[in-house]
Amino acid sequence: MKRSLIAVGTVAAAALALAGCAGTSAPASSASGGGSTTLRISVWNYAQTPEFKALFDAFHKANPDITIEPVDILAANYEDKVTTMLAGGDTTDIITVKNLTDFGGYAQKKQLVGVNDLVKALPSDKIPALGEYKADGTYYAVPYRQDFSVLFYNKQLLKDAGIAEPSALTWDEFAADAKKLTKGDGADKVYGAYIHTWNSLVQGYASAQQDKAFDKPDYSWMKDQYDLTVGMQKDGTILDYGTAKSQQAQYKTIFETGKAAMVPMGTWLISPLLADTAAGTTSVDWGIAPIPQIKSGSKVTTMGGPTGFGINKNSKNQDAAKKFLSFAAGPDGAKAVASIGIVPAYHSDEITTQYFGLKGMPQDATSKKAFTPDTIRPDGATGPLAAQLQGVLDQEHQLIMTGSKSVDDGISEMESRVTSEVLNQ
């Protein structure tokens, strides 16, 4: 989730069109008779993250002389482990950049190789998220996927409640519909909506839709979004934050089992929904709509961020690594990840058609509209101060959502702490 040193501009989705321990696993791809080069790439939860295998296999097929060896790290430990690896001189060739918060640190410390030459050869007009990986005039990574928030909804639950499928909701309308959709109690309760525990799902929407920066500690613009979310919690139309935290609630499970009718979430949820539907582990009839907006009739602004690859400055195989980055960010990499329901960073009419041609993808006009928001902005702080900002903002978010602090007091404390602890003013 995840502005300071790095210039983060808006990403026009019209240009998008689609828009524990680290260990080394067995090679994802191995050349017949042995490859001449082995690229080691850091990944998280390799067995549960099929995009990596899809991308690595496609690259190896096109480049049989290069073997890819995943360096598998537990997702929960990924950022910390990679930070330790890079600081210690580890020679893993390619680092998967999980979010822009981490990228800011890598770029500031010059731990990745500049790839301006590689970027020049890419069709930049088809990869709008490229600019997110530029710091002080240098590109230090390239994106292979671009996720952004949409509104997932359960068609049957809306139909049963007599509510029209959403196409252009405001946040106030979202809250009103959630109240109508909430029914039952106890273990049988169905919530009108589910808002996950990440601070971005309150702060990020407020920032993106008002074009506000996290490194300027006047956070009064967060108040309306907090009032709405805390109000829904008090009304019982969303699962309360404390319960969601203590029970380690999973948004995918909540939506797939019909326990919530509407879930604002990133497009990364599409891939597991398709897979689980195909496997018969869920029968939810789902669609996607544009994320609710602050004002009715406004252009659709959502939040999100790319996931990318950077080359470790200590890599001994930088030429081969650049070949992989070019592949991953381009049309061939896009085809590989789109084939399993991942939204690629590269767009084209061909990729869009391929994506919506996947079995189980909704075919209604609203779902397709959700893939053409007008603007995508980062879902949190970016740049060299991002991690510190995120720490303070998340801590205060927890206190607000658990009722330990009022919205006004929590926002005031964010401003005070960011000023003194992060900006040192």
Side-chain angles (χ1 to χ4, degrees):
M1 298 179 283
K2 317 5 162 158
R3 211 166 303 224
S4 272
L5 228 208
I6 302 168
V8 179
T10 60
V11 180
L16 192 63
L18 268 178
C21 290
T24 303
S25 75
S29 312
S30 57
S32 177
S36 59
T37 302
T38 297
L39 282 177
R40 300 175 73 238
I41 303 179
S42 69
V43 300
W44 57 88
N45 291 15
Y46 182 75
Q48 290 81 43
T49 315
E51 69 197 67
F52 292 128
K53 180 170 172 37
L55 188 55
F56 297 169
D57 285 353
F59 175 75
H60 179 66
K61 184 175 181 180
N63 300 273
D65 59 329
I66 301 177
T67 297
I68 293 181
E69 186 177 293
V71 177
D72 199 7
I73 302 169
L74 290 175
N77 300 337
Y78 185 79
E79 293 91 338
D80 290 342
K81 185 63 181 179
V82 168
T83 296
T84 300
M85 288 164 58
L86 292 175
D90 186 275
T91 58
T92 296
D93 299 290
I94 294 172
I95 302 299
T96 304
V97 182
K98 199 173 185 183
N99 54 55
L100 293 176
T101 299
D102 300 324
F103 173 74
Y106 305 153
Q108 182 188 36
K109 296 171 188 174
K110 301 293 190 293
Q111 293 173 319
L112 303 177
V113 174
V115 290
N116 284 11
D117 54 339
L118 183 160
V119 169
K120 279 183 182 179
L122 289 171
S124 58
D125 60 317
K126 294 183 180 295
I127 315 172
L130 266 174
E132 309 284 15
Y133 291 121
K134 192 175 186 180
D136 290 340
T138 299
Y139 292 92
Y140 288 104
V142 298
Y144 70 92
R145 65 181 287 176
Q146 167 72 64
D147 288 292
F148 52 91
S149 280
V150 296
L151 181 63
F152 290 82
Y153 64 94
N154 184 312
K155 293 187 176 186
Q156 189 62 52
L157 291 179
L158 267 66
K159 182 179 179 180
D160 292 346
I163 295 175
E165 294 184 13
S167 60
L169 292 179
T170 64
W171 285 108
D172 286 338
E173 290 168 338
F174 167 78
D177 282 351
K179 187 173 292 188
K180 297 173 187 174
L181 287 159
T182 300
K183 61 182 181 180
D185 51 41
D188 296 324
K189 184 169 184 176
V190 174
Y191 292 91
Y194 175 68
I195 296 177
H196 198 48
T197 57
W198 301 328
N199 59 318
S200 64
L201 295 185
V202 179
Q203 299 169 0
Y205 291 128
S207 169
Q209 294 184 355
Q210 297 175 84
D211 197 13
K212 299 294 186 178
F214 288 99
D215 59 358
K216 294 178 174 58
D218 173 2
Y219 299 133
S220 57
W221 45 266
M222 292 183 186
K223 179 173 169 56
D224 287 348
Q225 201 70 21
Y226 266 115
D227 284 343
L228 179 135
T229 309
V230 171
M232 292 179 72
Q233 186 169 266
K234 288 178 178 177
D235 288 342
T237 62
I238 59 174
L239 180 66
D240 71 275
Y241 180 93
T243 300
K245 268 288 197 181
S246 65
Q247 295 182 355
Q248 298 183 319
Q250 300 295 313
Y251 55 83
K252 180 176 80 78
T253 302
I254 287 173
F255 185 65
E256 287 191 347
T257 57
K259 299 300 290 183
M262 300 183 294
V263 178
M265 188 48 62
T267 47
W268 55 76
L269 180 54
I270 292 173
S271 181
L273 276 173
L274 294 176
D276 292 347
T277 300
T281 57
T282 183
S283 58
V284 63
D285 184 10
W286 59 280
I288 53 176
I291 204 71
Q293 301 294 297
I294 294 173
K295 294 180 180 179
S296 179
S298 59
K299 291 185 176 181
V300 176
T301 297
T302 188
M303 65 175 189
T307 308
F309 294 111
I311 302 172
N312 184 353
K313 70 175 184 179
N314 295 315
S315 167
K316 309 300 183 186
N317 302 295
Q318 293 188 16
D319 288 341
K322 286 184 177 181
K323 184 177 289 190
F324 175 80
L325 264 64
S326 295
F327 179 93
D332 293 326
K335 290 176 185 176
V337 297
S339 70
I340 58 168
I342 299 299
V343 182
Y346 174 96
H347 82 273
S348 69
D349 290 343
E350 181 184 1
I351 294 297
T352 302
T353 300
Q354 175 188 349
Y355 196 93
F356 275 91
L358 294 172
K359 185 177 181 181
M361 274 297 292
Q363 297 299 311
D364 59 280
T366 297
S367 291
K368 292 182 179 180
K369 179 184 175 183
F371 269 71
T372 56
D374 298 286
T375 303
I376 303 171
R377 293 194 175 105
D379 55 6
T382 62
L385 299 177
Q388 294 168 270
L389 286 165
Q390 168 66 10
V392 171
L393 295 172
D394 186 49
Q395 288 167 16
E396 296 302 324
H397 172 75
Q398 294 181 49
L399 294 171
I400 292 173
M401 293 306 300
T402 56
S404 300
K405 286 184 181 177
S406 69
V407 171
D408 289 339
D409 288 347
I411 289 175
S412 177
E413 190 67 9
M414 286 181 210
E415 295 171 345
S416 175
R417 291 185 61 193
V418 167
T419 299
S420 62
E421 297 175 24
V422 181
L423 301 180
N424 298 313
Q425 295 175 356

